[in-house]
Amino acid sequence: MPGDGEWPERLDGLDHVEPLNGMAGSPIALWAVGPRDLGELCQSRLPAVAIVGARAATHYGCDSANELAAQLAGQFPVISGGAYGIDAAAHRGAFVGGRAHCGGHGGRAGRVVSAGQQPVAGPDRG
């Protein structure tokens, strides 16, 4: 939550952007799982890579996203959504690569978007 020691101060700048579809401002809260400090991860000026794509992806697309994320995760944090398809493949690849990866989804803490995403989110997230 804003004001917490791990709150990424860079998000405070979202309070000053032009609304899109009537929505603007920083989030009221973020939930993080894992040993890394969220504020530290977000303050990093090091480059990161985002791998996103179709939910109804082909096997080739998922295999490519998985392999790309596994290779890049050794050098960069991997960022993707929490959806099926390419997003899920990117997280699996980053996990295998052994580095930090970040996924975003709407919902409450400790609850993945759908039960089908349980393998991506991990056994303790459901």
Side-chain angles (χ1 to χ4, degrees), residues 3-113:
D4 182 77
E6 288 190 44
W7 181 255
E9 292 179 12
R10 294 173 74 179
L11 293 180
D12 294 339
L14 295 174
D15 289 332
H16 308 291
V17 299
E18 191 71 30
L20 177 64
N21 294 328
M23 298 176 64
S26 61
I28 59 170
L30 295 174
W31 290 267
V33 176
R36 299 289 301 271
D37 181 285
L38 182 61
E40 177 187 317
L41 287 172
C42 292
Q43 292 299 342
S44 174
R45 298 289 183 197
L46 298 174
V49 62
I51 301 175
V52 296
R55 290 179 184 210
T58 63
H59 288 291
Y60 175 76
C62 288
D63 289 346
S64 296
N66 186 299
E67 185 175 326
L68 182 63
Q71 290 176 4
L72 291 173
Q75 298 174 329
F76 307 101
V78 175
I79 301 167
S80 195
Y84 291 105
I86 299 298
D87 291 7
H91 287 297
R92 283 192 296 271
F95 182 76
V96 168
R99 291 293 296 250
H101 56 106
C102 177
H105 68 86
R108 62 184 171 87
R111 180 83 174 156
V112 294
V113 175

